[in-house]
């Protein structure tokens, strides 16, 4: 036993993290393929497998596709349609996918033959990914990944306009209705990530932001996958791969939060500092926020500390603080485990890492309502614009038919005579009156 632990411990350096699952990523459309590609570019040194994940990327737009440049040599790109994109038209995106559905079935089977679990990744709002997301679910359900797939969906930013928000809402509504029959869903809130990125990088660009956000999603997911498999559990409970599997089999949304702090700043007897911080980070979330955590069906909190710090830190009081925080946050969860781990001191930093995961959640109501409000506002603006277009600024005015140069214009050209169809009778009558009065 001792020997096994020691062996295991030797493997557990920062660079050599084990994973619970070999994920596959099926990316659709530009957002979906960019994120899926970043996820499959995660590298590890375990069992000589540099790239443990694999990806299949599908898009209709050749130019967008060329911009996605996977490092992972096993990532496969598959262009559907004529290469010109689906131009935000979800019906077109869906039809182009259906045309190639059989080929996609085959590609999914080969590309994910080694995958335990596949994430279908889509940036909600466009024509290709959003249009084909339901068909993508069908592909996975009918090719061996029923109960072994989840969704990673980005929510658009508010400024992205009527069509984008409307497309996103249309598909969210369908997914929401079917949610209990689907796997877990991870929402990536582009507005939240964009705001955070802009605060930290005021000089940054949208392109920088997108690269950052895609890597950020990839790292967050990989972190979750490794923390459940890599470290030495201390104490009675271990949030291990089988616990993680349960979460991945729980329908509904997955929410996660994490933070780290210098171990010297954490005092086991002063729960307020770290449990308040953890609560704050749970509210902020990593990829999205606004969940009603009371509805969580599964919860886990993992803490990871340096071996020498763990002795000082992992007291009864420490665990009780975290347990009571979780118990008061996720009232409905059946299990509210706190798992403690230690890592080798040779790891460079002396941080304590806190991770929390909530599964089986409902959609974040306020965020979805805000999208619907934005959509309503766009509709009102559009309606007002159409009405303004209909309104004729010169209503009641009848145009004159003359096109002559100004020097050629006679008085009649300018104002017409009584028999001129284009003239205004009233104007002529008035003029006649004037002419009589001034003996013209
Ligand atoms: N996080 C993130 N979101 C992205 C990225 N690219 C696009 N998005 C989001 O995804 C949404 C859909 O856009 P695309 O993925 O370009 O659309 P598409 O599926 O290719 O559809 P068409 O271009 O209309 O055929 C956008 O409105 C963005 O909110 C990306 O690289 N990262
Ligand atoms: Mg596109």
């Amino acid at each position: 036993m001792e020997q096994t632990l020691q062996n295991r411990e030797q493997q557990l350096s920062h660079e050599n993290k084990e994973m619970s699952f070999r994920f596959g990523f099926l990316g659709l459309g530009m957002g979906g393929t960019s994120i899926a590609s970043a996820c499959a570019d995660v590298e590890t040194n375990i069992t000589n497998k540099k790239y443990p994940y694999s990806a299949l990327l599908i898009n209709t737009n050749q130019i967008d596709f060329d911009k996605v440049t996977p490092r992972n040599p096993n990532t496969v790109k598959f262009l559907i349609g004529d290469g010109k994109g689906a131009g935000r038209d979800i019906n077109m995106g869906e039809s182009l996918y259906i045309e190639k559905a059989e080929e996609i079935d085959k590609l999914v089977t080969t590309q994910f033959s080694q995958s335990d679990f596949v994430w279908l990744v889509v940036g909600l709002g466009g024509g290709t990914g959003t249009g084909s997301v339901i068909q993508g679910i069908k592909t996975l359900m009918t090719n061996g990944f029923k109960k072994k797939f989840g969704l990673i969906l980005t929510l658009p930013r508010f400024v992205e306009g009527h069509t984008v928000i409307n497309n996103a809402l249309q598909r969210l509504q369908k997914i929401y209705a079917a949610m209990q029959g689907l796997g877990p869903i991870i929402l990536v809130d582009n507005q939240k990530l964009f705001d955070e990125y802009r605060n930290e990088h005021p000089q940054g660009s949208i392109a920088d932001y997108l690269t950052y956000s895609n890597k950020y999603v990839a790292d967050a997911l990989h972190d979750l996958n490794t923390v459940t498999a890599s470290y030495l559990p201390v104490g009675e409970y271990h949030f291990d791969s089988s616990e993680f599997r349960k979460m991945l089999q729980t329908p509904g949304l997955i929410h996660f939060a994490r933070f780290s702090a210098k171990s010297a700043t954490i005092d086991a007897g002063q729960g307020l500092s770290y449990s308040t911080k953890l609560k704050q980070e749970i509210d902020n979330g990593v990829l999205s926020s606004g969940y009603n955590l009371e509805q969580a069906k599964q919860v886990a909190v993992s803490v990871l500390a340096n071996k020498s710090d763990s002795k000082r830190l992992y007291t009864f009081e420490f665990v009780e603080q975290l347990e009571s925080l979780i118990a008061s946050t996720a009232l409905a969860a059946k299990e509210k485990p706190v798992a403690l781990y230690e890592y080798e001191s040779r790891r460079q930093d002396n941080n304590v890492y806190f991770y929390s995961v909530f599964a089986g959640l409902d959609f974040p109501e306020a965020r979805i309502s805000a999208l619907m409000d934005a959509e309503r506002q766009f509709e009102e603006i559009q309606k007002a614009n159409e009405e303004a277009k209909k309104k004729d600024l010169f209503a009641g005015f009848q145009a004159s038919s003359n096109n002559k140069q100004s020097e050629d214009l006679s008085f009649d050209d300018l104002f017409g005579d009584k028999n001129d169809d284009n003239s205004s009778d009233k104007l002529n009558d008035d003029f006649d009156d004037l002419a009589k009065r001034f003996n013209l």
Side-chain angles (χ1 to χ4, degrees), residues 28-35 58-61 64 68 84-90 92-93 96 122-132 154-157 160 164-165 167-168 188-191 193 206-207 209-215 217:
L28 309 177
M30 177 149 107
T33 54
S34 305
I35 296 171
I58 299 177
N59 204 352
T60 57
N61 186 314
D64 287 349
V68 180
K84 295 196 179 121
R88 305 253 172 270
D89 177 346
I90 51 177
M92 185 172 180
L96 293 175
V122 168
L124 283 182
T128 305
T130 313
S132 53
T154 72
L155 294 180
R157 293 191 295 131
E160 291 195 74
V164 164
I165 294 181
N167 284 346
V188 177
D189 186 344
N190 272 341
Q191 187 70 58
L193 298 191
I206 292 269
Y209 155 70
L210 289 175
T211 310
Y212 153 86
S213 78
N214 300 341
K215 173 106 179 39
V217 175

